[in-house]
Amino acid sequence: MRWPARWARAEWGLLYVTVREALLRKRWRAIPMTIGTVCLTAALQFVQNQSWGYQFVQDIGSVRAEDPLPLALARTPLSLFVPALDLPVWGALAQILLVFGIAEICLGRWRTLVIAYVATLAGTLYARVGIALGPGSPLGLPSADRLVVDTGPSAAVVGLAVFVCWRYRAYVTGGLVIAAMLVEVTVKENLAGKEHLAAIAVVLLLCGVSAWRHRPPGSARTGSGSGLPPIQS
């Protein structure tokens, strides 16, 4: 076996086998939450593009840093499914189907939803902190960003991708996802890019906490690693 094939097997083998077996055994029944998420996102995209529905979607699922915090927190769960108006919706739907589907199979439905929500919430709260710090700070944001709608499903997609890559030891792939987000901020410094980095930072913290909680007995003395088994639904 040539080295590219060996590398691909080491990087994606466990992830591929887990996803393939679930889909062969259950087909689309393996990802009911993901299918529901795709349908909900498509429905919200349709509604917000209608003259009668735009304000309705804004009122229930669009989050801006200028919003009162209780209102923003109430809207945040649904904001996961409100795609950006200035980006092709088919790209967002494809990302949700791929990343949420893999995460639902590998992590389970509720862990997927929790990680997606935490990643989105991290971006939402970072926007407020960044604006408070101001553009003079490396982590700051201009005050005009208080009017910008949060990232929608993209922060959740990025956060889930990083967590699944860590969980299934696809470290190079996870590193590439993080590198792509860093390049995005470097090339086009905007609120969405920085919210993606905030989501990644919080998800990496979750990875560290999960690894610490699942340390095998005596690992601190023997240096045997986390020994953390993959989670499967």
Side-chain angles (χ1 to χ4, degrees), residues 7-180:
W7 177 84
R9 186 171 183 176
E11 180 76 2
W12 300 312
L14 181 59
L15 187 60
Y16 172 78
V17 169
T18 303
V19 173
R20 181 176 181 272
E21 288 182 351
L23 291 177
L24 286 176
R25 187 172 66 254
K26 298 182 179 179
R27 297 188 182 276
W28 294 109
R29 290 181 290 110
I31 52 170
M33 182 268 294
T34 298
I35 294 173
T37 297
V38 170
C39 292
L40 177 58
T41 303
L44 288 172
Q45 172 69 5
F46 173 79
V47 172
Q48 74 174 347
N49 276 284
Q50 310 305 310
S51 58
W52 50 266
Y54 171 77
Q55 192 57 51
F56 172 72
V57 174
Q58 294 293 301
D59 290 341
I60 64 171
S62 290
V63 178
R64 297 175 177 84
E66 70 167 356
D67 296 332
L69 184 58
L71 178 61
L73 294 177
R75 290 175 174 173
T76 297
L78 195 59
S79 75
L80 271 73
F81 313 111
V82 179
L85 282 168
D86 58 341
L87 296 176
V89 68
W90 299 112
L93 295 178
Q95 289 178 0
I96 292 171
L97 180 62
L98 178 65
V99 177
F100 271 70
I102 291 174
E104 184 175 2
I105 291 170
C106 295
L107 305 177
R109 187 178 310 163
W110 291 111
R111 286 188 181 91
T112 297
L113 286 174
V114 168
I115 293 170
Y117 177 73
V118 168
T120 301
L121 184 62
T124 295
L125 296 180
Y126 160 73
R128 296 170 179 272
V129 174
I131 291 169
L133 292 173
S137 169
L139 299 178
L141 295 168
S143 61
D145 280 348
R146 73 185 189 280
L147 303 175
V148 178
V149 177
D150 278 1
T151 61
S154 60
V157 166
V158 170
L160 284 170
V162 170
F163 193 91
V164 170
C165 286
W166 168 77
R167 191 82 197 195
Y168 279 75
R169 301 181 180 89
Y171 299 126
V172 174
T173 305
L176 289 175
V177 172
I178 296 172

